[in-house]
Amino acid sequence: MTGDNTNAGLTMDEERELTHEEYEAYRRETLFVEREEATPDQFPRLWNLSAAFLYRGVIRADVPEPPEYVTVPMPNSGMDELCNAITRWNVLWEAAQFRRRFFGKDDLPKELGQVAESGDTNVVFVPRTQTRYYEYAPLVHLLPREQIERHGLPLLRGGQWPFFADSGGIDPYFPHDFEQRLSRAWASTVWRHMNPRSPMSGFTGSDPIRLLAHNLDFWVPAVTEVIQQTLRGLPVVDNGVDESPPPLVDGGFLEGATTANPRVGTDLWRGEAEAADVVALTVEQADSTGRLRGILDAVRSHRVEDDFSQRWTREREDFERKLYRKRDKIKVRFVELPDTIPVQGPETEVEDRIVYGDFLALLDERDRQIVVVLHSGVTKLTDVAKILGYANHSPVSKRLARIRRLAEEHFDR
């Protein structure tokens, strides 16, 4: 009798519903990884699960259309049916725009059926959330731990592509500004590929290239194509399916597709080194048609002063050189003149020795004295300072800087 009661007690305990605290602990354990586990050789990570777990054979689109992410509201009732349908749909990534042909009229919940009825479109379904994690998951799982921690993002366990539906909500476990934090973290990660000459801090928040680096929607198609190119290079599972045109119920064949064995699953990347390689490939993919390069070249060719912050960068220097035409106009310098030439008046101009009297008229008395002393052949700032009664050369250096600015403005008129 005691043994029967013990067994009954174990059965009841296994079948009972988890308490709120137990469920919270379970969700956090499945979602997040401890910091000491997020080592550079293991974190970040994204993997793919083969369609062979659900299908013996697949349809492979000869020319797959680019996928689109479509968000689906996840209701409280009927969750399991919807989750299973999303999983069965998404795993058919090789079918691309033809995946709806795997499903009969009543095989899909209405949330998915409406999209399937619209025709052959390459759609990836993801849950609708405030954070938009599922749409941006490939970008999230490319970030190294340093960027994750710097921007206050959670250390997530490895992600999966394509998404297999999860009935548990994810928004409560993420910061409310998750998308903004992710945008900043991704921009910091991808910036060196877009603009290696200058740090991002050298530009204002309105700089077009900086805005593009933060635009997650711009990068999702590129990283998705990189993922699919990787998967297309994998071997297939030997399920005995001969490659042939897919038959249709009317006796014809589906054009533009091939029946085939599913490809194997794999880690798409694991560790910082592999993730960094994928980031570089993502940038290349964004520029596969010259789109990214065209944008960057157009921005650099039409920069305005408001694009730059106060921090010095090489690009700012190039911009100012172009703006003020330093290469084209006269170089501001001081030359030696005979002691017999006095301080020039407004009407005086000595062309041979590059002295313009009307420019000297713009200077105050102390500035003119510095120019005259320099013209007389004294070239060391300490000597100029001593002649003019300064304790050191610092005031002379500051006045020379102001004189050069005035000269540049004067000679550019």
Side-chain angles (χ1 to χ4, degrees), residues 276-289:
D277 290 341
V278 176
V279 171
L281 290 173
T282 298
V283 176
E284 291 181 14
Q285 179 60 38
D287 192 41
S288 60
T289 60

Side-chain angles (χ1 to χ4, degrees), residues 283-299:
V283 176
E284 291 181 14
Q285 179 60 38
D287 192 41
S288 60
T289 60
R291 180 185 179 196
L292 178 58
R293 187 187 304 111
I295 293 173
L296 298 182
D297 288 347
V299 170

Side-chain angles (χ1 to χ4, degrees), residues 36-99:
E36 55 270 19
E37 297 179 68
T39 57
D41 61 329
Q42 296 294 322
F43 184 91
R45 181 189 178 198
L46 190 77
W47 70 83
N48 165 265
L49 190 63
S50 173
F53 285 97
L54 296 174
Y55 299 96
R56 179 170 172 266
V58 297
I59 294 175
R60 189 176 300 157
D62 296 342
V63 183
E65 294 180 357
E68 303 175 37
Y69 289 84
V70 173
T71 60
V72 180
M74 304 297 285
N76 293 327
S77 60
M79 183 75 76
D80 290 341
E81 178 188 4
L82 183 57
C83 287
N84 290 336
I86 290 176
T87 298
R88 288 186 286 114
W89 177 282
N90 283 350
V91 76
L92 294 167
W93 64 270
E94 285 192 271
Q97 63 268 26
F98 300 124
R99 70 179 86 197

Side-chain angles (χ1 to χ4, degrees), residues 16-26:
R16 71 175 175 83
E17 292 186 4
L18 297 176
T19 65
H20 175 74
E21 290 75 16
E22 290 172 334
Y23 179 76
E24 287 293 303
Y26 165 76

Side-chain angles (χ1 to χ4, degrees), residues 183-363:
S183 175
R184 293 192 292 267
W186 173 255
S188 297
T189 301
V190 80
W191 180 263
R192 68 182 183 88
H193 296 280
M194 302 176 67
N195 205 340
R197 297 185 64 228
S198 304
M200 187 161 47
S201 58
F203 302 86
T204 62
S206 61
D207 169 61
I209 297 180
R210 186 166 177 169
L211 291 174
L212 188 63
H214 285 77
N215 188 339
L216 301 176
D217 292 321
F218 174 82
W219 296 103
V220 167
V223 71
T224 301
E225 181 57 29
V226 170
I227 289 172
Q228 292 188 134
Q229 288 178 0
T230 301
L231 294 176
R232 292 184 191 119
L234 296 177
V236 300
V237 177
D238 186 8
N239 280 351
V241 177
D242 294 328
E243 294 193 5
S244 58
L248 298 174
V249 293
D250 62 3
F253 295 94
L254 180 62
E255 295 183 3
T258 304
T259 300
N261 289 301
R263 298 194 184 277
V264 301
T266 187
D267 272 340
L268 290 157
W269 59 79
R270 180 186 289 205
E272 291 187 4
E274 292 184 5
D277 290 341
V278 176
V279 171
L281 290 173
T282 298
V283 176
E284 291 181 14
Q285 179 60 38
D287 192 41
S288 60
T289 60
R291 180 185 179 196
L292 178 58
R293 187 187 304 111
I295 293 173
L296 298 182
D297 288 347
V299 170
R300 291 177 181 135
S301 299
H302 298 85
R303 283 210 176 278
V304 295
E305 192 168 2
D306 289 344
D307 291 340
F308 297 97
S309 69
Q310 294 303 311
R311 179 172 179 173
W312 179 90
T313 63
R314 292 179 180 178
E315 285 195 64
R316 183 183 182 94
E317 182 182 38
D318 290 345
F319 170 80
E320 291 184 350
R321 182 183 294 116
K322 180 180 179 181
L323 180 65
Y324 296 112
R325 302 197 304 278
K326 292 180 182 178
R327 293 173 178 171
D328 297 331
K329 66 185 181 182
I330 188 171
K331 183 177 180 180
V332 178
R333 59 193 177 99
F334 300 103
V335 296
E336 181 180 351
L337 293 174
D339 291 339
T340 56
I341 297 181
V343 174
Q344 310 301 316
E347 72 284 355
T348 307
E349 183 174 62
V350 183
E351 297 202 19
D352 184 42
R353 305 305 290 262
I354 319 178
V355 175
Y356 291 86
D358 56 346
F359 164 67
L360 294 180
L362 299 176
L363 307 180

